[in-house]
Amino acid sequence: MRKLLLQVQVSTDGYMAGPNGEMDWLAFPWTDDLGEHINALTANVDTIVLGRRLAEGFIPAWAAGPPGEDKESIDWMNRTPKVVISHTLTESPWENATVAGGDLAETINGLKARPGGDLIVYGGGTLVASLAEADLIDEYHLFVNPTAIGGGMPVFPGRRKLRLVSARPFGCGVTAMHYEPVR
């Protein structure tokens, strides 16, 4: 069965965005060692899962080729099929993306049961909280930035017991923390 991986940027105090969605605390530019780590993480991924609000900015940004990103990463993001979780959209306005609504557990478990590589979710906050609450995430890949922001959108809506698989610091100050849920 395929796994659902979460890759998310977090502050040292556990927030994935500031109180008003701010992301100005992220550590950039990334160093090559972090880029290589992400490439290894996504090597077996063949589907990206996004929440609707994140998809509205994420998909067009990658289609335009964000500055500072290499062509290989841009091409991978654009060619990898996306599933947008939404209760308001009925069809996708984007290329290479489908919309899924209804019961979240049924949708994610249905995607996991299909043949293929792993799934990766990049967010947004509402979707990540719902996936964590429903215990649908198989691996948590938290990219901890060397900044505390004091408040905002937490990665976890409540208590979650995790087992540390690995921790790896990178030259840019970000530390990748890989956890699995204790079930």
Side-chain angles (χ1 to χ4, degrees), residues 32-127:
D32 290 342
D33 55 350
L34 178 53
E36 291 166 9
H37 180 81
I38 290 172
N39 288 342
L41 172 64
T42 58
N44 192 44
V45 169
D46 70 4
T47 304
I48 298 170
V49 179
L50 302 165
R52 183 212 24 103
R53 284 182 288 213
L54 178 64
E56 289 172 344
F58 182 97
I59 295 173
W62 281 101
E69 294 291 344
D70 62 85
K71 182 171 176 14
E72 183 180 340
S73 296
I74 292 169
D75 290 347
W76 184 86
M77 284 291 191
N78 287 317
R79 79 171 171 265
T80 303
K82 291 152 201 71
V83 176
V84 178
I85 306 296
S86 176
H87 296 294
T88 57
L89 291 176
T90 55
E91 61 184 51
S92 173
W94 308 287
E95 281 187 50
N96 204 23
T98 58
V99 173
D103 182 76
L104 182 61
E106 187 176 300
T107 298
I108 296 300
N109 287 327
L111 290 170
K112 287 180 179 184
R114 292 180 187 172
D118 290 330
L119 310 145
I120 194 161
V121 61
Y122 294 120
T126 303
L127 176 60

Side-chain angles (χ1 to χ4, degrees), residues 98-158:
T98 58
V99 173
D103 182 76
L104 182 61
E106 187 176 300
T107 298
I108 296 300
N109 287 327
L111 290 170
K112 287 180 179 184
R114 292 180 187 172
D118 290 330
L119 310 145
I120 194 161
V121 61
Y122 294 120
T126 303
L127 176 60
V128 169
S130 297
L131 291 167
E133 187 67 29
D135 197 26
L136 294 169
I137 299 171
D138 299 298
E139 295 183 11
Y140 291 84
H141 296 271
L142 309 179
F143 289 79
V144 182
N145 287 254
T147 306
I149 61 175
M153 183 181 301
V155 174
F156 301 101

Side-chain angles (χ1 to χ4, degrees), residues 16 19 22-23 28-29 39 51 87 93 102 107 147 153 158 166 168 172-173 175 177 183:
M16 66 175 107
E22 302 93 341
M23 301 296 287
F28 283 110
N39 288 342
H87 296 294
T107 298
T147 306
M153 183 181 301
S166 65
R168 182 175 173 199
C172 59
T175 300
M177 306 292 290
R183 294 184 166 131

